[in-house]
Structure formats: structure tokens, C-alpha cells
Amino acid sequence: MSSASPSILLVGLMGTGKSTVARQLSSRLGIECLDTDKMVEARAGKSVRELFAELGEQDFRDRESDVLSECLARPIPAVIAGAGGIVVRESNRQAIRASQQAGNVIVVWLHAATDVLVARTSKGVHRPLLDDDRVGTLERLAEERASMYSEVSDIVVDVSQRSVESTVDLLIDAIEEGQAEMSISHE
Ligand code: S3P
């Protein structure tokens, strides 16, 4: 376990509220908030939509992996909203697990029922992967990615019926409890 507090990485499918929860959680914890999609967009000078359309998904995934490595290597803790596909590459999952084992990150999987995600993704940010068949794609991604999210997560929260505020309260309790356990076991 490193001496500094760990970062918190939020993972989960599109529409689970990772960015909103990350913003509120970071402000409650008094630490910086990072968002991997926003970092990719800022570095590329293009939106996720433009990157998918102009350069394709694999190029986007390369940029996403670079940003994830950068977030995990930070010496100062932050709350990181990871984009939905951050767990897809085996190398990303390995990097997350290594960082967890070093005590540098706690990973939270925000999970929600597909019908909730269908409703939530119909408004707000544009998601290129959902252009053709929103319901079918979300069902497929939920099935394909469940084991990947599960493989890297320390804490799982079902946000289907839970408000952002209640999710943040729950996470603060879980993180404090987890850190107390860690510090006891390291005495
Ligand atoms: C994606 C999730 C999106 C964005 C892109 C692809 C995915 O981020 O990176 O549309 O593969 O699940 P959010 O989860 O923040 O919507």
C-alpha cells in the first residue's frame, strides 16, 4: 500500500452516470476529477464522435489506453471517470490490476439494468456505438463486458434505482471503511 490515498476509478457501461458521480465524489473528497473521454478529446482536439467517424474505433482505443496509463501513473489521487470501453483491452485491465495491487487505485463498477441505460443514453452525450441498435448493443455490451468489469472492480454498486447523491454517500462510506481495513491490516 502506498502512503498517499488511492485514486478512485469508476468503470461501467455508458449511461451508468460515471461522469456525474465522479464530479460529485471528487468534490466531496476534495480531490481532482478526471474523465478519460474528456482527456482524449482535449488531446486530439476532436470529439469522441469525430474520432470514431474519422479515425475509427481502434485509434480511439489507443488514445484511451494512453490516457488510462497516464491517469494510473499520477502521484496525486483523483476520481477518474473511465469511459465504458476502458476495460475491453486486456492490457488496460492488467494496468488497472497492477495499480490496485500497489494500493494506488480503488475501482468502482457502476452497474445498471439495461432498460435504465437505454433511457439514460437516449439523451445527453452522443455515443457512436449506439447509433444503430441502442437496445441490442447495450444488451450485447452488458453481456460481453460484465466479466471484464468484475475482474477489475473492488466495489460494485447497482445504480438502477439509486440517485447520484445516494451513490456518492455509499461510496464515501465504502472507501472510508476499506481504507480503515487497509490501515489496520498494515499496522
Ligand atoms: C464507449 C463509451 C463512451 C465513449 C465511446 C465508447 C464504450 O464513454 O468512450 O462512446 O465503448 O463503452 P461513456 O461510457 O463515458 O459514455
Side-chain angles (χ1 to χ4, degrees):
M1 182 71 202
S2 61
S3 53
S5 301
S7 287
I8 316 293
L9 171 64
L10 304 180
V11 299
L13 281 178
M14 297 172 265
T16 46
K18 301 178 296 290
S19 300
T20 315
V21 170
R23 276 196 301 275
Q24 293 200 15
L25 183 61
S26 65
S27 106
R28 290 270 301 274
L29 293 173
I31 58 178
E32 202 180 336
C33 181
L34 303 173
D35 185 309
T36 62
D37 271 349
K38 292 213 174 78
M39 290 172 76
V40 167
E41 288 181 330
R43 280 161 179 60
K46 288 177 192 291
S47 65
V48 171
R49 175 186 211 153
E50 288 166 338
L51 286 168
F52 267 73
E54 293 170 20
L55 302 170
E57 182 173 349
Q58 288 319 306
D59 181 274
F60 172 79
R61 297 292 174 208
D62 291 341
R63 293 167 189 269
E64 184 173 66
S65 297
D66 290 346
V67 160
L68 173 67
S69 306
E70 202 182 301
C71 288
L72 294 175
R74 280 170 52 95
I76 302 167
V79 178
I80 306 154
I86 208 113
V87 296
V88 170
R89 286 193 172 168
E90 168 71 28
S91 55
N92 287 359
R93 300 200 299 278
Q94 279 171 358
I96 294 170
R97 284 202 311 268
S99 196
Q100 266 169 331
Q101 278 157 15
N104 294 333
V105 72
I106 295 172
V107 185
V108 178
W109 174 16
L110 299 185
H111 179 271
T114 308
D115 55 333
V116 173
L117 299 180
V118 170
R120 289 195 193 161
T121 54
S122 342
K123 40 193 189 243
V125 184
H126 175 256
R127 271 91 170 193
L129 290 181
L130 303 182
D131 279 347
D132 294 335
D133 172 13
R134 181 179 306 275
V135 179
T137 305
L138 281 166
E139 279 170 351
R140 177 176 56 78
L141 292 179
E143 201 176 316
E144 280 174 12
R145 292 182 183 172
S147 63
M148 301 176 190
Y149 292 130
S150 164
E151 179 186 327
V152 297
S153 52
D154 300 296
I155 299 170
V156 185
V157 183
D158 187 340
V159 294
S160 307
Q161 308 286 336
R162 198 177 272 284
S163 68
V164 171
E165 290 71 23
S166 144
T167 304
V168 171
D169 286 343
L170 188 86
L171 288 177
I172 290 191
D173 287 348
I175 291 161
E176 280 170 1
E177 218 170 277
Q179 282 178 314
E181 274 167 27
M182 281 180 211
S183 61
I184 290 164
S185 65
H186 284 266
E187 266 172 6

